[in-house]
Amino acid sequence: MNKPFDYPEIYYNEVVLYLETKWERRLSDHERHVLIEGYRFGRMIEAETEINNTNCY
């Protein structure tokens, strides 16, 4: 598997805000880190799937 993308922190604001709003509290530094790593992993899988689907034609 490839190395996850290194997005600037601003790209994570939406997902952090979503979870903080849903849980009605601020996330700890550890929770933010885990959330961001999960987000990066999900985006990487999504991109790999898109690339594989595009190369089928």
Side-chain angles (χ1 to χ4, degrees):
M1 192 173 310
N2 298 333
K3 185 175 181 180
F5 302 123
D6 288 322
Y7 293 114
E9 186 144 338
I10 194 164
Y11 287 106
Y12 307 119
N13 288 345
E14 185 176 351
V15 70
V16 169
L17 178 62
Y18 169 78
L19 206 51
E20 287 180 339
T21 301
K22 184 175 181 174
W23 289 355
E24 298 178 351
R25 66 175 180 82
R26 288 195 44 97
L27 300 179
S28 69
D29 288 342
H30 175 72
E31 290 169 330
R32 282 176 179 260
H33 178 75
V34 170
L35 178 62
I36 288 169
E37 288 301 312
Y39 179 79
R40 293 163 96 183
F41 180 77
R43 295 293 294 166
M44 181 181 61
I45 296 301
E46 187 177 64
E48 287 178 352
T49 301
E50 183 68 26
I51 289 168
N52 290 336
N53 288 340
T54 303
N55 290 336
C56 291
Y57 301 107

